[in-house]
Amino acid sequence: MLLRLSGHSFRYECENLCRLFFPYSPVRVTEEGGPEPNEPWAFTEVQTPSGIEKTPGTYLYKVKVSDGKSVLERAHTARLLEEYAMTNLLYTAFAELTGYTPAWGMLTGIHPVKLLRQYCEDLGEQQGMEKFRSRGHVSEQKADLAFRVLRAQNPAVTALSENDFSLYVSIPFCPTRCSYCSFVSQSVEQSKKLMEPYFDLLLLELEKTAQVTKSLGLTLCTAYIGGGTPTTLSAEQLSRLCAKIKSEFDFSRCTEFTVEAGRPDTIDREKLMALKAAGVTRISINPQSLSDQVLRNIGRRHTVQDVLDAFELAKQAGFQEINADLIVGLPGDNLSGFQKTLDGVIALGAANVTVHSLALKRSARLVSEGGDLSLHSKGEETAAMVDYSIRRLTEEGYDPYYLYRQTRMAGNQENTGWAKPGTVCRYNVYTMDESNSVIACGAGGVTKLKDPYSDRLERIFNFKFPYEYISRNAEILERKEKIIDLYEQFRQRLHEVH
């Protein structure tokens, strides 16, 4: 996909719209002319109109788009030079040319509910919803889903105090790497020698983080150990890790401690009992599918029976709040297969169910190794799977409470977390709504500091890969000092305003 720009700098959103309509075509951007290519392409231009009465602040927006076969040209004038005028024109031209109308319209951001929240706070619920639908070309069904999520999030968001923060701890190891995965997680087979030194240095980072948060008077409100697959650690390591977190941080306001047990083939009775004894309140068991063939297609080594056994062990250990992750659009899956999976997970008694739409990044093995993308479910069938999940989970009394989107998602759908009443995972709300500071420890962790007095959000990145985390750990610890600097800036601005 070739994107040519002329007379404007709205590259980011124009590029995202190209990916929206041509998700598996790499986008090359140029500001130069040249002959029209045979591949899909888009030419966008903004200029002061000629041939009409000169009106200060009036601009002519022009787009010319191709799907590789047909070409379509559109233009309009607007009083202001703005990104939305150009991207709206480009979106409508692509939709007309391809005959495809995405359910989420022209929204390409990760957090659509956050955008809806801003509109509703500014305009009220009714007008905010109308702006969300009309400005973004969002379908009525998706707008309704976003609004349901917004409503479900409100109690968790309003319960926050200005000094609350959430803790994320990364265990970037998995038993094997799934064919669709693009995360930085390392398979245990390839990186077993890194696990022990990584673990020891992670404990040091937790100590440093606790020192920093105590000095600032911050209070832990949720804790989450994710990955990767945290249960690749031994029962003894899990006990040590949880004990370290409980001893270093004040849990007086933290009633939610979550661990992604994740892969059923890493779960056993000893690990579950260690987590329960450590005060963990919820876990995830992530089957992705209840089809042995689909599991083989994506490189999973566990079976459906392993999922059933893991749920039974978790219940015997006393866990009441269990989340199950599912993915629609997996290679070899279809609507009837997904229906059986979802119905099966509901029958297992999962308190939370997260329905992901398959998102294939270029770094995923299914793409980078020339996997058979024809196995990837077609958009209409993927949409039917998502629609079934919305209908079925609603019937069973689950509420949608967090939602996010990624590029190159199957059927241009979304990832939605559903919860039985009283079982909302507040950490998921805070990290997706970006309403609370999340301080991350471990490889690939991204600390997101939310200014409690404004919309400002600052990020501090840890190194991605375990070997970097180990070799440059001193730098990781130094970066934690930035948390103090940024919070002091937040508080200084508050004093200046008052």
Side-chain angles (χ1 to χ4, degrees):
M1 179 87 205
L2 177 64
L3 172 64
R4 293 175 179 164
L5 307 176
S6 177
H8 67 88
S9 58
F10 308 140
R11 169 175 175 163
Y12 179 76
E13 281 302 327
C14 287
E15 201 171 343
N16 281 340
L17 286 174
C18 290
R19 292 195 182 97
L20 178 61
F21 286 91
F22 301 95
Y24 299 111
S25 177
V27 180
R28 295 178 291 115
V29 183
T30 179
E31 295 183 6
E32 300 176 358
E36 294 177 356
N38 293 324
E39 64 183 318
W41 53 272
F43 177 78
T44 72
E45 181 179 14
V46 60
Q47 62 186 39
T48 303
S50 60
I52 65 172
E53 182 180 352
K54 295 289 184 180
T55 304
T58 298
Y59 297 88
L60 177 64
Y61 295 84
K62 297 167 65 177
V63 300
K64 187 177 181 182
V65 298
S66 166
D67 60 3
K69 300 174 184 178
S70 303
V71 178
L72 180 70
E73 294 185 66
R74 290 291 180 266
H76 78 275
T77 57
R79 291 290 302 275
L80 298 173
L81 177 63
E82 62 173 7
E83 184 177 64
Y84 178 76
M86 174 56 76
T87 53
N88 186 56
L89 182 62
L90 183 60
Y91 169 84
T92 54
F94 269 138
E96 184 176 346
L97 177 69
T98 62
Y100 170 55
T101 304
W104 283 99
M106 64 187 291
L107 299 188
T108 59
I110 297 173
H111 307 292
V113 178
K114 183 180 178 182
L115 178 64
L116 176 59
R117 180 184 297 279
Q118 292 171 352
Y119 287 167
C120 289
E121 288 177 352
D122 292 342
L123 303 171
E125 288 185 352
Q126 184 174 350
Q127 292 185 31
M129 275 286 286
E130 176 56 33
K131 181 176 181 179
F132 183 75
R133 284 194 300 263
S134 60
R135 183 177 174 86
H137 302 278
V138 180
S139 71
E140 186 172 344
Q141 182 196 40
K142 296 304 183 187
D144 178 67
L145 178 63
F147 188 70
R148 291 177 66 188
V149 171
L150 179 65
R151 282 281 182 88
Q153 287 182 349
N154 280 337
V157 173
T158 56
L160 285 170
S161 73
E162 64 182 31
N163 290 322
D164 282 348
F165 78 99
S166 295
L167 176 69
Y168 177 79
V169 181
S170 170
I171 307 297
F173 303 101
C174 282
T176 59
R177 188 175 178 86
C178 296
S179 61
Y180 58 79
C181 181
S182 61
F183 293 138
V184 297
S185 304
Q186 308 287 297
S187 70
V188 171
E189 294 173 346
Q190 294 179 328
S191 56
K192 188 173 183 178
K193 64 181 181 181
L194 299 177
M195 292 182 69
E196 191 63 37
Y198 176 88
F199 182 81
D200 291 339
L201 291 171
L202 179 62
L203 298 185
L204 290 179
E205 188 184 2
L206 285 166
E207 288 181 10
K208 178 65 175 181
T209 301
Q211 293 170 8
V212 166
T213 54
K214 287 175 184 175
S215 71
L216 290 167
L218 303 184
T219 307
L220 183 68
C221 62
T222 70
Y224 193 102
I225 303 176
T229 306
T231 41
T232 53
L233 298 178
S234 66
E236 188 270 337
Q237 287 174 319
L238 288 169
S239 293
R240 285 176 60 199
L241 177 60
C242 293
K244 188 68 172 178
I245 294 171
K246 294 293 289 286
S247 66
E248 293 289 343
F249 295 91
D250 178 7
F251 267 67
S252 60
R253 275 182 57 82
C254 181
T255 58
E256 178 183 291
F257 190 2
T258 305
V259 175
E260 277 191 60
R263 299 276 284 267
D265 47 336
T266 66
I267 298 172
D268 59 34
R269 188 183 306 276
E270 185 182 9
K271 292 179 184 180
L272 290 170
M273 294 305 294
L275 294 174
K276 190 65 178 175
V280 172
T281 59
R282 65 169 63 221
I283 61 171
S284 294
I285 300 174
N286 301 333
Q288 314 303 17
S289 172
L290 291 183
S291 163
D292 284 329
Q293 182 58 57
V294 172
L295 292 173
R296 286 191 291 270
N297 288 346
I298 63 176
R300 288 277 181 133
R301 289 185 179 175
H302 69 80
T303 65
V304 173
Q305 188 60 49
D306 291 331
V307 177
L308 306 182
D309 293 344
F311 263 87
E312 182 59 30
L313 286 174
K315 291 175 183 177
Q316 291 175 7
F319 285 102
Q320 301 297 318
E321 296 183 358
I322 304 173
N323 177 75
D325 279 11
L326 307 177
I327 300 179
V328 302
L330 288 172
D333 204 2
N334 55 31
L335 177 58
S336 63
F338 175 75
Q339 289 172 335
K340 291 177 183 177
T341 290
L342 181 60
D343 292 348
V345 165
I346 292 172
L348 285 171
N352 288 193
V353 178
T354 304
V355 180
H356 297 268
S357 296
L358 180 64
L360 289 179
K361 305 296 193 297
R362 286 193 292 272
S363 59
R365 183 158 47 84
L366 193 60
V367 176
S368 63
E369 295 183 4
D372 185 1
L373 293 181
S374 65
L375 292 173
H376 175 63
S377 297
K378 295 181 180 179
E380 290 184 2
E381 186 163 36
T382 300
M385 294 178 185
V386 172
D387 290 345
Y388 179 79
S389 72
I390 295 172
R391 182 173 69 255
R392 187 78 178 87
L393 289 165
T394 299
E395 291 171 351
E396 291 294 327
Y398 293 81
D399 293 315
Y401 76 96
Y402 79 97
L403 183 155
Y404 68 102
R405 305 186 66 240
Q406 298 166 271
T407 57
R408 300 182 181 89
M409 297 190 80
N412 190 41
Q413 296 295 317
E414 68 279 337
N415 303 324
T416 307
W418 297 77
K420 286 282 194 178
T423 69
V424 163
C425 178
R426 290 183 296 132
Y427 172 84
N428 286 332
V429 173
Y430 298 150
T431 192
M432 293 305 163
D433 187 69
E434 297 182 330
S435 52
N436 172 232
S437 288
V438 177
I439 299 179
C441 295
V446 180
T447 292
K448 295 190 291 186
L449 301 181
K450 171 67 171 63
D451 181 353
Y453 317 111
S454 74
D455 293 331
R456 182 182 175 192
L457 193 73
E458 296 286 348
R459 291 174 170 82
I460 303 171
F461 295 86
N462 280 7
F463 296 115
K464 280 188 176 183
F465 298 100
Y467 70 87
E468 289 181 294
Y469 182 86
I470 293 169
S471 64
R472 303 176 68 178
N473 193 258
E475 294 176 59
I476 295 284
L477 300 183
E478 288 175 7
R479 291 181 185 184
K480 285 292 183 280
E481 294 290 336
K482 292 183 180 179
I483 297 173
I484 296 176
D485 295 338
L486 288 167
Y487 261 93
E488 288 177 348
Q489 290 178 30
F490 297 159
R491 291 166 178 173
Q492 180 62 34
R493 284 197 188 90
L494 176 66
H495 294 318
E496 291 173 353
V497 169
H498 294 285

